[in-house]
Amino acid sequence: RRGIAGGRCLSPLLGRKTSERATILSDSTGRFVAVPRVQARWAESNSRVYLHPSRSSARSRSLAVGSEASDVHVQNPKTWVEACPTKLQPYLLLARMDKPIGTWLLLWPCCWSIGLAAPPGALPDLWMIAKMGIGATVMRGAGCTINDLWDRDIDNKVERTKTRPLAAGTITPVEALGFLVVQLSAGLAVLLSLNTNTLDSPMPCTIEVMQKIATAPNLTRALSVCRILLGFASVGPVIIYPLMKRVTNWPQLVLGLTINWGALVGASSIVGSCPWEYCLPLYLGSVGWTMTYDTIYAHQDKVDDRKVGVKSTALLLGDYTKPALFVWSGAFVTGLGLAGQAAGMGIPYYIGVTGAAMHLTWQIVDVDLSEPKDCMAKFVANRW
């Protein structure tokens, strides 16, 4: 297979890099695994080839391209990313397409803001939520690319992150920058499409949007431009956030100010301007939510972070983390309550807020901050 050895023979010796493009690993059953180098660092491949030890002649037999089918067993891909073409996989992994939790955390404030802007008794604008979903997916991926470009020399020293594409060397910084240009261009197209409510067009392309803004009445044009600028303003924090872990113990605060920007953009895309009376408490409260889940997340890496000199609220607070989590979660629930009151929400809304409070309480009480797997499980639980 071309992706295995490029036409060369492989010697099934454990750990041997038999060519520029393949490495031999072993699975739990003792079978040998020829894994493409582009995926060997993840120890997962979309095309694993196994050679039975009984057929391997004292573990030294060569596995050649074109081996008989009876000697070879192919394992099906475990995720949709593994099923994609090999050359595409590092870019999907760079954008964390295999880990959608970040997209959910970026999307939820957008959805809450759109819901608060809905007329009484009406459903939120589902078309706008769909566009926000596309934007969240694109911009979360762009944020991950920026983060990994800044952190590639740190990530390769941290156990959890050393297999990321840039840290592992499966793509170059230049290739990542080219990918980032594509991501930001797609994000810009989504941002400009959010102005269609005011411009009375179903979904114009970027050029049409700009043309209509230029010819719209002064107030409409001003509101449209303000919303575009509001969206653009989020790019700055996205760029500087990865640097904050080097200079401050509060990078989670910067992340909160960055990732919850959709709380301001969502409603403004519905009503034509930012309704600060409920967007601001929603935004500030959501910052507390981010500090809660990302501090739990940071406890996974505290041992490695100390070694490499990375800062975080997890290291700063130590044994006092849980009291701080309760304070930040309380600020989040308070922000939701104030936003709902300003928007005139009814009892069902506050039932939902109560459910969110209970969910956060469970996370904080139950999490074992000394157990990385449990920290990750509680972090991922925030998608609900």
Side-chain angles (χ1 to χ4, degrees):
R1 291 178 178 270
R2 179 180 57 82
I4 300 294
R8 308 178 191 182
C9 291
L10 299 178
S11 176
L13 298 177
L14 182 62
R16 176 75 60 85
K17 295 177 180 177
T18 60
S19 74
E20 294 181 356
R21 301 172 64 180
T23 299
I24 300 301
L25 304 178
S26 176
D27 68 2
S28 59
T29 65
R31 294 184 296 182
F32 299 109
V33 187
V35 183
R37 288 286 301 283
V38 71
Q39 298 155 26
R41 294 177 185 268
W42 288 277
E44 292 183 351
S45 169
N46 69 322
S47 182
R48 293 185 176 180
V49 177
Y50 298 114
L51 182 65
H52 287 292
S54 61
R55 301 176 182 267
S56 62
S57 181
R59 300 193 176 189
S60 62
R61 178 177 176 177
S62 294
L63 175 62
V65 174
S67 295
E68 294 182 5
S70 60
D71 293 339
V72 178
H73 298 268
V74 180
Q75 179 170 298
N76 292 329
K78 292 182 178 180
T79 68
W80 72 271
V81 172
E82 292 179 13
C84 293
T86 300
K87 291 184 178 180
L88 183 61
Q89 288 182 33
Y91 296 97
L92 296 175
L93 293 168
L94 181 62
R96 311 287 198 278
M97 296 299 290
D98 60 325
K99 299 175 181 177
I101 177 60
T103 299
W104 284 111
L105 297 176
L106 180 60
L107 177 61
W108 278 126
C110 304
C111 295
W112 298 333
S113 184
I114 292 172
L116 290 171
L123 290 173
D125 189 328
L126 298 181
W127 178 235
M128 187 61 68
I129 288 177
K131 288 194 283 186
M132 287 289 182
I134 296 172
T137 302
V138 170
M139 292 308 297
R140 185 265 183 145
C144 291
T145 301
I146 293 171
N147 181 84
D148 288 6
L149 282 166
W150 283 117
D151 288 353
R152 62 187 185 276
D153 294 331
I154 294 177
D155 285 344
N156 59 15
K157 299 179 179 68
V158 177
E159 185 65 27
R160 185 180 57 83
T161 61
K162 66 183 181 180
T163 59
R164 289 176 176 175
L166 278 167
T170 54
I171 60 174
T172 67
V174 173
E175 291 171 332
L177 283 172
F179 182 51
L180 178 61
V181 171
V182 174
Q183 292 172 299
L184 292 178
S185 298
L188 175 61
V190 174
L191 174 63
L192 294 176
S193 76
L194 299 182
N195 291 275
T196 57
N197 279 12
T198 300
L199 298 176
D200 298 323
S201 176
M203 190 175 180
C205 66
T206 299
I207 296 177
E208 290 173 339
V209 168
M210 299 307 295
Q211 289 175 340
K212 291 196 174 186
I213 290 175
T215 59
N218 291 338
L219 178 60
T220 300
R221 182 165 64 248
L223 292 175
S224 299
V225 171
C226 285
R227 280 184 289 162
I228 292 174
L229 294 177
L230 183 62
F232 270 119
S234 66
V235 177
V238 170
I239 294 174
I240 67 170
Y241 160 67
L243 299 176
M244 293 297 102
K245 65 188 75 173
R246 295 169 170 82
V247 299
T248 178
N249 291 314
W250 298 91
Q252 282 69 30
L253 175 60
V254 180
L255 177 63
L257 295 171
T258 303
I259 199 171
N260 294 293
W261 206 261
L264 306 178
V265 177
S268 68
S269 298
I270 298 296
V271 301
S273 61
C274 187
W276 296 102
E277 63 274 13
Y278 57 82
C279 282
L280 188 59
L282 176 64
Y283 173 66
L284 295 178
S286 297
V287 172
W289 175 52
T290 298
M291 294 184 69
T292 299
Y293 66 66
D294 203 58
T295 298
I296 293 175
Y297 182 83
H299 271 273
Q300 298 177 97
D301 303 326
K302 54 191 175 185
V303 174
D304 288 330
D305 286 350
R306 286 193 184 97
K307 293 179 181 178
V308 300
V310 170
K311 302 178 181 181
S312 70
T313 50
L315 292 177
L316 174 67
L317 297 171
D319 294 337
Y320 298 97
T321 292
K322 287 198 174 184
L325 297 180
F326 276 113
V327 172
W328 297 331
S329 296
F332 172 54
V333 174
T334 301
L336 290 178
L338 293 175
Q341 183 181 28
M345 304 303 288
I347 293 177
Y349 174 85
Y350 294 101
I351 293 176
V353 172
T354 302
M358 294 173 63
H359 185 64
L360 285 171
T361 300
W362 165 75
Q363 288 185 46
I364 298 170
V365 171
D366 191 66
V367 66
D368 182 354
L369 296 175
S370 63
E371 178 51 57
K373 290 184 178 179
D374 192 42
C375 291
M376 175 59 81
K378 296 302 188 294
F379 170 73
V380 173
N382 284 276
R383 69 183 182 275
W384 306 114

